[in-house]
Every structure is written in structure tokens, then in C-alpha cells.
Amino acid sequence: MPVSEALARCPEAVLRPTRLPRYREAAAEVRAILRGASERLEALGLDGTYLDGGEDPELLETTAALCVRIQAETGIAAHAGIGPTRFVAWLAARHAGAEAIRSVSAAQVRDFLGPFPVTELWGLGPATAEKLASEGISTIAEIQTCAPERLDRIVGPPPGRWIELARGEDPEPLRPSPRARSFSQERTLADPTLEENVLGSVLTELAERLGRILLREQRAARTITVVFRFVDDEQQSRTRTLDEAIA
């Protein structure tokens, strides 16, 4: 729901500013931990990551250890789903419950997916769900057994992707995210200032954040850029390349 609509419906609500730079920093910290287990990972926004567990015979134990480590080192409670496809793993993580981890084997996929409403399928929105409901189709189990020709008649082409997801099939391979070539931190001051001690304190804080990210990513940096944005939106930057990389 857009913020404007939320405020219109609930004018007494208190609107608090987001901390997007901190969210990005936390996401980088979590992914640095995950990269220690596998380089094959695909980012899913700021709050999720697909990780290729490969042929790990102790995948459940490895996943549990990662969740514990993430909680201990970042303070973030991690939930995980294990499954033969990205969609199954994603849905398992969303419904992991108090146990924090839910594992679904290939043999369990259809029974696991079946009870969920069709709106859980990626790309299937409310309008399409209404069309399916008018034909008596409201769960993923009913998509699993529905003939493609019938789905095509109800919702139009192409329904094949939803049938694949409903049956636990995902022909798209994991797309590993490339390692970042640069890292950044930013902060908007509550009150504009040119005080050197204030700006110096902010720069120190940002540098410390970047240092922690570099350490977690096991990376080093040579080129440093500082950008200032003024109240009139004018922007100035300074860049320096060091002789040796630092972390």
C-alpha cells in the first residue's frame, strides 16, 4: 500500500523515516557470511538471498549453523527454506514458523505446495486469481492438476510458467550475483551544517561502516570517493586513488 494511501486511511499514524543505508549495510553483512558457505548466491532484494547448497550431505546442519551465526554477528533473526527449486525454497522460508528453517524434499514438493492459495505463485495477481476462482480454482493443488488448455482458456497464454511453479519445476538456473565492484555508505544530516567537527565525525562513522563491510567481504579498496550534497541539491565530489589497497 502506498504511504499516501496509508496516511489517508489512518491520519493519526506516525510516519518514521527509513534507514535505507543501514538496511543495505546489514544486507551486505549477511551476504558476506553466506559467501563463506558458497560463492553461488543470488540476491533477492535487501532481505533475501538464494544460496546453492550443491551436494552438501549435511545441508540442514549447514543452514542451521548459518542462521545461528547471522543472529550472533548481526542481531538479525534469519529464516531459511530448503528446497529443490528457488520458488519452493522461498515459500518454505516464508512459512518456516518458529523453527526458523523448513526443508522440503523433491518428494514432498507437491504436497507442500498444494494447500497454498494460487496468489503465492510468482506473477499471479489478484485479477488473475479472481478469474481462476470463478472457475473453481483457488489452490496450487488445483493448478497442479489443471490441463494447460483449460488454464489457457481461463487466463490466456502463457500459463505454463504457473504450472511449472505449482509442480515444483523451475527450468531457470540460479543466477549468481556478481561480487560488488564498489561499496558505499551515505547519511543525510537532520540539520544542514558546515561545521568541520560534525562533518568529520560523520565521515569517520561512514568510514568505519565501510571498513566492516570490506572485512566481512574479505576485500580491500584503493580508490575512495567522497560526495557532498548541499541544501540546493548541488553536488560535489572528491576522489583519491591510493598507492596500495587498504581495508
Side-chain angles (χ1 to χ4, degrees):
M1 179 186 299
V3 173
S4 57
E5 182 181 345
L7 290 175
R9 293 188 178 191
C10 187
E12 68 276 12
V14 177
L15 184 62
R16 304 190 64 179
T18 61
R19 300 171 61 200
L20 188 56
R22 177 56 189 140
Y23 299 158
R24 289 173 177 158
E25 180 185 3
E29 292 173 356
V30 170
R31 287 183 185 133
I33 294 172
L34 296 177
R35 282 193 188 277
S38 173
E39 282 290 332
R40 288 184 53 79
L41 56 84
E42 178 183 343
L44 181 65
L46 285 177
D47 60 352
T49 302
Y50 295 118
L51 188 71
D52 187 349
E55 300 300 323
D56 186 349
E58 299 180 344
L59 186 56
L60 184 60
E61 291 78 7
T62 300
T63 303
L66 285 171
C67 288
V68 170
R69 184 180 170 193
I70 290 170
Q71 173 83 54
E73 296 188 18
T74 70
I76 297 172
H79 287 72
I82 300 173
T85 69
R86 292 177 302 166
F87 175 64
V88 172
W90 171 79
L91 199 57
R94 285 189 58 198
H95 297 276
E99 299 300 321
I101 301 174
R102 185 161 187 176
S103 180
V104 180
S105 69
Q108 298 170 326
V109 164
R110 287 208 173 197
D111 289 340
F112 168 69
L113 294 176
F116 289 107
V118 295
T119 48
E120 292 282 11
L121 294 172
W122 289 340
L124 199 156
T128 302
E130 286 185 13
K131 292 180 182 179
L132 291 170
S134 68
E135 295 288 332
I137 299 174
S138 59
T139 67
I140 291 179
E142 290 161 336
I143 293 283
Q144 292 171 350
T145 58
C146 187
E149 297 79 10
R150 185 185 177 205
L151 272 184
D152 184 78
R153 178 179 58 80
I154 298 171
V155 301
R161 176 61 171 158
W162 292 327
I163 295 176
E164 289 173 343
L165 291 175
R167 294 176 179 175
E169 302 165 1
D170 187 359
E172 295 185 19
L174 187 89
R175 298 183 292 270
S177 304
R179 298 197 74 178
R181 296 179 60 86
S182 65
F183 299 95
S184 65
Q185 287 292 301
E186 62 184 60
R187 178 176 167 186
T188 300
L189 301 180
D191 299 306
T193 183
L194 292 175
E195 293 287 339
E196 290 187 9
N197 62 328
V198 175
L199 297 177
S201 176
V202 172
L203 285 173
T204 299
E205 176 189 341
L206 297 179
E208 289 175 348
R209 290 183 187 175
L210 281 172
R212 289 195 295 269
I213 292 174
L214 289 171
L215 286 173
R216 288 187 182 278
E217 290 284 339
Q218 298 183 344
R219 307 284 288 279
R222 285 189 62 219
T223 301
I224 303 168
T225 299
V226 179
V227 180
F228 290 93
R229 186 183 297 276
F230 299 94
V231 290
D232 60 359
D233 282 337
E234 179 188 353
Q235 186 171 291
Q236 293 187 13
S237 63
R238 296 291 184 271
T239 298
R240 181 179 177 184
T241 298
L242 306 176
D243 293 333
E244 297 182 0
I246 61 172

